[in-house]
């Protein structure tokens, strides 16, 4: 079976990201997945158990301080060399900031077509893409080169398939031309006790209706009772109620939890783009005409400051 390269998305704090497990699941429909770890020394070893659990038959490890320290350019160079050598059936990267940039550079280096924001991939390489903030679904195929796609997080159900990956170390020498921008400092996002927003099974989000930063404690309290993450609309973020890293939507993060609770959020198209694939959506809004109710599975027309404390009390009783 042909090899399919999956470029691993991981963080120092949380390890392998869910989107990587989704890509490994997708890759199995096209061939045998091989994970590519581009990081600092020791990165592959730390991730290999999880990658094997989801079917990575092989791990290519490109590990060096330079790979880790020089942003995306060297990563694209290493990947291009690997693709030329192993001639995979497809290359999958995450539709995240870094994944998209590496993919774009790789496409140029290989003179290859590229498809972004892919949510499904058929065995013949036909991709389903989400366009225009989720309002349009497109079927596309790369017509020059191999299927080089970026996969939208939370589009696929990750399915385990145990494998014992063999690790191949790639030799890495970063050419001067790739040393274009360097990481000079790393500041970890506050980890706290809550799950990571894009990976959480429950997300409780607050909008402008929450009123101010202090009131967001109510949103946090409900999230904590449900073991969930906290999200925010752009209006809430722009108003300074909650930090930007928690913004959900077109210009924020894409989430697809089992349960999404929208508190004081109107449901603008740009917000929906980041949460409309959630399995169950619950909205609390005092305006019965708010567009969020068009997509909510359950809705409460009411004042969130009255509704949320009652819900919290009920949960505490259980
Ligand atoms: P509002 O639209 O002001 O809605 C507040 C809601 O709270 C209202 O429905 C009101 O009835 C309700 N409410 C008020 N008080 C209470 C109460 N006490 N109890 C219950 N309900 C109450 N938005 C995003 O969210 N994410 C994005 O990524 C994003 N990207 C964008 C990109 C572009 C290019 C543009 C142009 C816009 C983008 N937006 C994004 C902004 C988007 O268009 C909306 O302005 C924003 O989502 C509105 O946020 P909101 O629903 O919190 O605020």
């Amino acid at each position: 079976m042909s090899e399919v390269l999956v470029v691993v998305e991981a963080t120092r704090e949380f390890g392998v990201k869910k989107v990587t497990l989704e890509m490994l699941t997708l890759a199995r429909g096209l061939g045998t997945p091989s994970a590519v770890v581009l990081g600092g020394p020791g990165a592959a070893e730390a991730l290999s158990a999880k990658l094997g659990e989801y079917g990575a038959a092989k791990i290519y490890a490109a590990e060096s301080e330079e790979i880790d320290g020089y942003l995306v350019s060297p990563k694209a160079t290493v990947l291009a060399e690997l693709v030329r050598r192993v001639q995979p059936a497809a290359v999958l990267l995450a539709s995240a900031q870094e994944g998209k940039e590496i993919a774009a550079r790789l496409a140029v280096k290989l003179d290859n077509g590229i498809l972004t924001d892919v949510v499904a991939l058929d065995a013949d390489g036909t991709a389903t893409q989400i366009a225009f903030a989720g309002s349009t679904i497109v079927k596309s195929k790369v017509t020059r080169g191999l299927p080089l796609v970026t996969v939208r997080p939370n589009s696929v159900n990750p399915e385990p398939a145990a494998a014992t990956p063999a690790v191949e170390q790639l030799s890495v020498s970063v050419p001067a031309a790739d040393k274009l921008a360097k990481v000079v400092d790393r500041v970890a996002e506050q980890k706290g006790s809550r799950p990571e927003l894009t990976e959480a099974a429950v997300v409780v989000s607050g909008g402008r209706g929450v009123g101010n930063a202090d009131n967001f404690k109510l949103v946090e309290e409900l999230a904590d009772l449900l073991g969930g993450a906290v999200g925010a609309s752009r209006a809430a973020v722009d108003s300074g109620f909650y930090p930007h890293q928690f913004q959900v939507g077109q210009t924020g993060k894409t989430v697809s939890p089992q349960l999404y609770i929208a508190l004081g959020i109107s449901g603008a198209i740009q917000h929906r783009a980041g949460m409309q694939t959630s399995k169950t959506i619950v909205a609390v809004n005092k305006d019965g005409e708010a567009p969020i109710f068009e997509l909510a599975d359950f809705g409460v027309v009411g004042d969130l400051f009255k509704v949320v404390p009652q819900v919290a009390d009920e949960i505490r009783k259980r």
Side-chain angles (χ1 to χ4, degrees):
M1 253 203 211
S2 328
E3 216 173 335
V4 178
L5 298 184
V6 170
V7 180
V8 172
E9 187 88 14
T11 62
R12 285 179 163 73
E13 298 82 20
F14 296 103
V16 178
K17 292 194 85 176
K18 185 175 156 220
V19 66
T20 304
L21 310 181
E22 294 180 56
M23 291 192 287
L24 288 169
T25 306
L26 260 188
R28 297 205 302 267
L30 286 96
T32 306
S34 293
V36 186
V37 175
L38 305 161
E45 199 192 327
L47 306 175
S48 70
K50 194 77 180 172
L51 297 171
E53 222 178 286
Y54 283 79
K58 190 166 187 177
I59 297 175
Y60 292 104
E63 300 176 333
S64 79
E65 297 294 351
E66 288 183 311
I67 280 277
D68 205 28
Y70 279 95
L71 300 176
V72 293
S73 205
K75 295 177 182 171
T77 300
V78 169
L79 258 181
E81 279 170 22
L82 183 64
V83 171
R84 286 191 193 104
R85 175 161 67 87
V86 306
Q87 298 284 316
V91 181
L92 276 51
L93 298 101
S95 250
Q97 204 176 351
E98 186 173 276
K100 277 186 177 174
E101 192 176 339
I102 297 174
R105 287 173 185 271
L106 187 62
V108 172
K109 284 178 191 293
L110 299 173
D111 192 18
N112 197 104
I114 178 173
L115 298 173
T116 57
D117 282 333
V118 167
V119 294
L121 198 54
D122 297 344
D124 70 348
T126 305
T128 308
Q129 285 175 287
I130 295 288
F132 301 124
S135 63
T136 307
I137 291 173
V138 185
K139 294 270 186 192
S140 325
K141 218 169 168 176
V142 169
T143 53
R144 187 183 180 101
L146 51 83
L148 167 56
V149 305
T150 72
V151 176
R152 199 171 200 251
N154 298 313
S155 351
V156 179
N157 240 345
E159 284 163 23
T164 312
V167 180
E168 180 182 326
Q169 290 289 340
L170 302 175
S171 74
V172 179
S173 69
V174 177
D178 278 336
K179 295 183 180 179
L180 302 171
K182 190 177 173 182
V183 176
V184 289
D185 194 11
R186 281 195 170 90
V187 182
E189 285 183 3
Q190 262 188 327
K191 188 179 170 190
S193 54
R194 295 189 190 106
E196 211 260 326
L197 180 55
T198 57
E199 317 242 304
V202 177
V203 174
V204 183
S205 282
R208 205 196 315 256
V210 174
N212 59 44
D214 207 35
N215 291 345
F216 248 80
K217 284 188 192 128
L218 202 62
V219 182
E220 292 182 330
E221 195 186 359
L222 184 56
D224 290 343
L225 281 169
L226 295 167
V230 175
S233 73
R234 178 158 162 182
V237 167
D238 287 352
S239 307
F241 300 173
Y242 220 64
H244 175 255
Q245 78 235 39
F246 298 100
Q247 184 181 312
V248 172
Q250 186 185 332
T251 43
K253 296 202 166 135
T254 303
V255 300
S256 193
Q258 294 298 322
L259 174 64
Y260 186 86
I261 303 181
L263 304 174
I265 293 178
S266 60
I269 178 87
Q270 296 89 353
H271 186 77
R272 293 159 77 141
M275 48 65 75
Q276 63 196 353
T277 53
S278 304
K279 309 301 173 287
T280 301
I281 297 170
V282 176
V284 180
N285 197 304
K286 66 181 182 186
D287 174 8
E289 301 294 311
I292 191 77
F293 289 123
E294 290 164 15
L295 111 145
D297 299 286
F298 300 95
V300 181
V301 179
D303 184 341
L304 72 92
F305 298 105
K306 290 191 181 136
V307 176
V308 175
Q310 289 179 51
V311 173
D313 280 348
E314 279 303 317
I315 296 170
R316 274 192 213 95
K317 280 185 206 157
R318 287 166 194 225

